[in-house]
Amino acid sequence: MKTTIKKMNKHAINIALAIVLVGSATSQMAYAEGFTEALTSGKGSVNLNLRYESVDQDNALEDASALTLRTLLAYDTGSYKGFSAKVEMEDTRIVLGQGDYTVGPTGYNLGLYSVIADPEHTELDQGYIQYKNAGLSAKLGRQVITMDGHRFVGHVGWRQDRQTFDALSAKYSAVKDLTLQYAYITQRNRIFAQDADLDSKDHLINASYKTSVGTLTGYGYLLEVDNNTDNALDTFGISFAGSTKAGDTKVLYRAEYASQTSESAVADFDVYYLNFEAGVVFSGMTAKVGYEVLGSDNGAFGFSTPLATLHKFNGWSDQFLGTPSQGLVDTSFMLAGKVLGGGWTAVYHKFDADEASESVDDLGSELNLSYVKKYAKYYTAGIKYAAYSAGDIKVDTDKVWIWVGAKF
């Protein structure tokens, strides 16, 4: 009897082990199949941008022109247990030998022509692992990061080599209308190709809350280039932006304030930022007036936004990629609408110094015009013009862009 029971127990144990082994094997196979399916069921994409740019400046430099083709090849995997990945390669080439321009940080034609910041290059544009669930998304690796309309953190997507970051980033929706964002950046992959990238120790903190009349946002951007020197640049700010309806007219509004401190081996300074916008949308047109101040510390240092999509602000001719030491006051008027199936935009800027002196007060003015049209589902074409009239500093500058893009 005891022998029979021992045999039964032995058989039961063997069966249990077999079940465990089969279950484990099945789980491993399911895991492998799910992981493989996620890798192979992704989506590839191609993004092409062919652009001609010309620059005419009233100085000793030769007029510049460039015809460049930017190619983005990307692959997004499927998702497995909330995890996915993305790989994207970027390449820019001069087309038909049209490369009479200077790219400063790379040394390309240095000092010969005006600057067109589109160097020839091939690099990893994005490459990251992502995790998503109902309220949380996180990325680790090279990625695009934008916050608050690109004024302080952007991808500079207008240039052929757009800006990305090597970072850990996370976005969390704690409740329905509250969004928290954080990113730690270890490298800024700038628009001048790999040789101009900067190691950094940047912390980006952003929180926004949506209400029925607009979005309230608070942020802290703590930036530091990792080059063994003291160069901390800390910015803290708050903004409120929204819209409301008044009959058939939509009313737009925005107000923002920020303070900035710098502690470096060169100098310490405290400056402020101020932005007011008001506009209306009516009969298919948008009209907007803006007043933006990038303050100055006694005419010695100006408010700085090194991670911003700078081309989007203070005029398309890019005269103020670096804020003058006198600071910058930008009063702007914008009109936009649609015609012939495309969108047109006209903007006028009047620039003044925040801290004026006897020699520097008027910083010039600029007119911007553009027309962009999408064709079918995949194609875009556009033309853009910027005319800067110099004041007490800089020189008159005209720039023209013509481009055709395709996304598949």
Side-chain angles (χ1 to χ4, degrees):
M1 184 68 177
K2 291 182 179 181
T3 303
T4 302
I5 292 174
K6 286 182 180 180
K7 287 183 179 180
M8 291 176 62
N9 288 340
K10 185 176 180 180
H11 287 309
I13 292 171
N14 289 337
I15 291 172
L17 288 173
I19 291 173
V20 170
L21 291 173
V22 170
S24 176
T26 303
S27 176
Q28 293 293 329
M29 289 175 62
Y31 173 82
E33 289 174 0
F35 183 74
T36 302
E37 183 180 359
L39 290 178
T40 58
S41 65
K43 181 181 179 181
S45 62
V46 180
N47 184 322
L48 305 173
N49 190 56
L50 177 67
R51 182 168 69 206
Y52 173 78
E53 179 174 348
S54 69
V55 181
D56 180 2
Q57 291 184 291
D58 189 14
N59 58 17
L61 296 173
E62 295 288 335
D63 294 346
S65 64
L67 180 63
T68 56
L69 174 65
R70 194 275 322 280
T71 303
L72 284 173
L73 301 176
Y75 183 75
D76 293 85
T77 71
S79 178
Y80 180 69
K81 295 187 180 297
F83 288 93
S84 61
K86 182 183 185 78
V87 177
E88 183 173 58
M89 296 299 299
E90 180 180 68
D91 178 80
T92 298
R93 296 294 112 192
I94 293 172
V95 180
L96 301 177
Q98 297 297 305
D100 295 334
Y101 64 100
T102 289
V103 183
T106 69
Y108 178 69
N109 287 336
L110 191 61
L112 299 178
Y113 301 95
S114 294
V115 171
I116 296 177
D118 289 330
E120 286 194 304
H121 76 288
T122 301
E123 66 180 18
L124 177 68
D125 183 58
Q126 293 193 88
Y128 60 79
I129 297 172
Q130 179 174 246
Y131 174 76
K132 277 187 176 183
N133 64 22
L136 173 69
S137 64
K139 295 178 182 178
L140 176 63
R142 182 162 297 184
Q143 58 191 272
V144 168
I145 300 176
T146 66
M147 294 181 179
D148 299 334
H150 297 236
R151 190 59 188 100
F152 291 93
V153 184
H155 57 45
V156 200
W158 172 249
R159 300 277 25 132
Q160 300 285 51
D161 179 14
R162 67 176 173 178
Q163 178 171 260
T164 62
F165 303 101
D166 293 354
L168 168 64
S169 68
K171 181 183 291 187
Y172 178 60
S173 298
V175 294
K176 179 182 177 182
D177 297 315
L178 177 64
T179 301
L180 308 176
Q181 296 183 73
Y182 172 76
Y184 177 66
I185 298 171
T186 60
Q187 182 167 289
R188 308 173 191 174
N189 305 303
R190 303 192 299 164
I191 64 173
F192 307 107
Q194 299 96 317
D195 291 343
D197 294 344
L198 295 176
D199 293 334
S200 67
K201 296 181 289 187
D202 303 326
H203 297 270
L204 311 180
I205 305 166
N206 186 290
S208 61
Y209 183 75
K210 291 183 180 180
T211 73
S212 60
V213 292
T215 301
L216 178 66
T217 302
Y219 52 84
Y221 302 134
L222 314 178
L223 311 184
E224 183 178 359
V225 177
D226 189 8
N227 61 2
N228 297 318
T229 65
D230 295 328
N231 59 77
L233 183 71
D234 297 341
T235 304
F236 296 92
I238 188 169
S239 70
F240 184 78
S243 64
T244 189
K245 295 284 288 187
D248 294 332
T249 301
K250 185 177 182 181
V251 180
L252 313 173
Y253 41 82
R254 180 181 182 85
E256 184 169 6
Y257 175 83
S259 64
Q260 184 176 86
T261 60
S262 174
E263 298 178 2
S264 70
V266 178
D268 296 345
F269 61 85
D270 296 279
V271 288
Y272 74 99
Y273 173 84
L274 189 65
N275 183 25
F276 293 108
E277 294 179 358
V280 292
V281 180
F282 62 98
S283 302
M285 291 187 58
T286 301
K288 188 184 296 184
V289 59
Y291 180 78
E292 183 181 45
V293 180
L294 291 92
S296 171
D297 188 341
N298 296 317
F301 301 95
F303 193 97
S304 179
T305 59
L307 304 189
T309 299
L310 293 167
H311 180 79
K312 184 179 177 181
F313 305 93
N314 309 133
W316 297 337
S317 73
D318 292 335
Q319 297 301 305
F320 301 104
L321 298 180
T323 306
S325 60
Q326 300 85 4
L328 178 67
V329 179
D330 179 2
T331 306
S332 62
F333 305 89
M334 185 273 283
L335 282 175
K338 293 185 178 298
V339 65
L340 301 176
W344 61 267
T345 302
V347 189
Y348 176 78
H349 296 267
K350 178 65 178 72
F351 304 115
D352 297 288
D354 177 54
E355 293 277 355
S357 65
E358 291 184 4
S359 59
V360 179
D361 183 10
D362 176 16
L363 299 186
S365 62
E366 182 166 328
L367 175 65
N368 296 155
L369 302 171
S370 74
Y371 180 77
V372 181
K373 185 174 182 179
K374 291 185 177 181
Y375 295 88
K377 183 179 179 181
Y378 305 105
Y379 306 101
T380 302
I383 183 169
K384 191 157 79 167
Y385 171 68
Y388 172 76
S389 298
D392 298 329
I393 61 174
K394 302 186 179 290
V395 298
D396 292 350
T397 302
D398 292 324
K399 295 188 178 185
V400 176
W401 301 267
I402 302 171
W403 71 93
V404 177
K407 295 181 180 181
F408 305 98

